[in-house]
Amino acid sequence: MKEVKLTTKPIMLEDKNIKTIDISLIYPFIFKNEDEFNYEIMVNILNNHSHYYPNEKSFSVEVSKRLILHYRASLRSLGENGFIRFDLSIPQKDIIPEYDIEEAIKFFQETIFNPLASNESFDENIFERERDYIYNRITDSNNNSIYAQSFNRFIKIIDPQEEVFLNIETDLKNLKNANAKRSYEIYNAIIRQNDPLIYVFGNYEKKEILSLLEKYFPSKNTEISFALKYDHILHTQPHEYVEETSKFNQTSLFMLYDFKDIKPEEKEYLSLIGNILGGAENDLIFKQLRINNNLVYSSNVAKYNYNGLLLIETHLNYANKDRAIELVKETLATLKDRKFLKNCLEKLLKGLEVDMLRESDSKYGVLISKINTDLKFRKLTDIYDSYKDMNIDDIIAFIERMNLNTIYVLRGENHD
């Protein structure tokens, strides 16, 4: 667990070549699973409502009237950490000389600190509407999607205590328990009682922006301190083979791998293997199962880097599942060949070089990189550097520690 200390002073990132001013506020907090939908609905309400503009139409009209290019409230969680972020993008004065920057920042502040609420509660009608949207999304997906239903059944087997994965039944329970008063209480605790991290990016007059931020977002403290709890290695009980039935025609096959005595600092090895197996540059699993042997309808390689797990998921005809299992094992065995693995690594590095070039050309590349650095999110440059420094023999030694923990099959009705 790492302790992060960051300044509450605005981080000023200047680029005179662009024509906008972008302001991001980030509020870190401890994410509690039981409140997952109190967070989500809170952010949804803050995204397009306020006390002054209580419906989407009036809010949207005001955003347009003030020539605000972009406003957004968003939520991200990683492990036990959560981050609520507010973004504002407005024109630079060279584009519209008479543009009132202060009015835009004032609107930003009023939207964040004057939500659609009364009597210490978010608006009940809006809250219930948002809850209904989420309920329909979850239940429709579980009832009609083989991907959602098979994954839900799978995680119940490999994580029955829900240390990492929440099943749909728990999600629905948490959704039922979410309420407008509790959500507003959380809003007060995260937003009103804390200082945000503030990032300013673009083409601006520094003195003017700093003065406005001090006026509308004054800091109570000089520093923000919080613990990073991204890593949670899941030690799941092995299940050699589990098979269940479903109403779908396709069969779902999950092969879960863990790694003997894996430590959080070894996550980049896991990431590398997952990217070789499922990334665009090599995509070994899809090529072997679909292109070379035409055994599956689809495949996916999921890397749970912070949890020490690698998951290979395929959807196929039941008659092909044994052969698919054999080919996955054979594909993994090829990674122990030094020459083959080195070639795969070189392809992956070239792909990352292209991705980094694209990111550097992105308007927001500097801003994204700075936020990722501060919050210790994995950056493309970090991933590239870690892969480039890896020794082939060390990678093979890590692969030797791979263990097929669980094979789970959700058998479809089409057995031919």
Side-chain angles (χ1 to χ4, degrees), residues 70-85:
H70 176 73
Y71 164 78
R72 187 183 181 218
S74 59
L75 169 69
R76 177 174 181 177
S77 66
L78 184 57
E80 296 181 35
N81 293 93
F83 304 91
I84 292 174
R85 175 171 168 172

Side-chain angles (χ1 to χ4, degrees), residues 381-398:
T381 51
D382 296 335
I383 295 169
Y384 178 84
D385 290 341
S386 69
Y387 290 177
K388 189 176 181 181
D389 291 341
M390 286 183 185
N391 178 280
I392 294 295
D393 291 326
D394 290 340
I395 300 170
I396 292 174
F398 187 78

Side-chain angles (χ1 to χ4, degrees), residues 348-388:
L348 184 55
L349 289 171
K350 287 179 181 178
L352 284 170
E353 288 170 1
V354 173
D355 291 339
M356 289 190 297
L357 186 62
R358 287 195 189 113
E359 185 176 83
S360 68
D361 285 340
S362 167
K363 170 185 170 182
Y364 295 104
V366 173
L367 176 62
I368 292 168
S369 179
K370 176 57 179 171
I371 291 173
N372 287 347
T373 297
D374 286 351
L375 300 181
K376 311 303 180 187
F377 295 153
R378 297 170 74 242
K379 302 187 311 234
L380 277 176
T381 51
D382 296 335
I383 295 169
Y384 178 84
D385 290 341
S386 69
Y387 290 177
K388 189 176 181 181

Side-chain angles (χ1 to χ4, degrees), residues 120-131:
E120 300 298 308
S121 173
F122 283 117
D123 183 276
E124 291 279 357
N125 291 329
I126 298 297
F127 194 93
E128 290 306 314
R129 188 193 69 182
E130 294 294 330
R131 189 211 304 273

Side-chain angles (χ1 to χ4, degrees), residues 36-77:
E36 58 176 324
F37 296 110
N38 283 314
Y39 305 134
E40 182 175 343
I41 296 175
M42 170 183 63
V43 168
N44 289 349
I45 292 173
L46 292 169
N47 213 18
N48 48 27
H49 302 82
S50 76
H51 172 76
Y52 301 107
Y53 308 102
N55 57 61
E56 289 95 332
K57 183 176 180 180
S58 62
F59 190 88
S60 178
V61 166
E62 193 62 24
V63 166
S64 298
K65 189 169 80 172
R66 294 172 186 265
L67 300 180
I68 291 172
L69 303 175
H70 176 73
Y71 164 78
R72 187 183 181 218
S74 59
L75 169 69
R76 177 174 181 177
S77 66

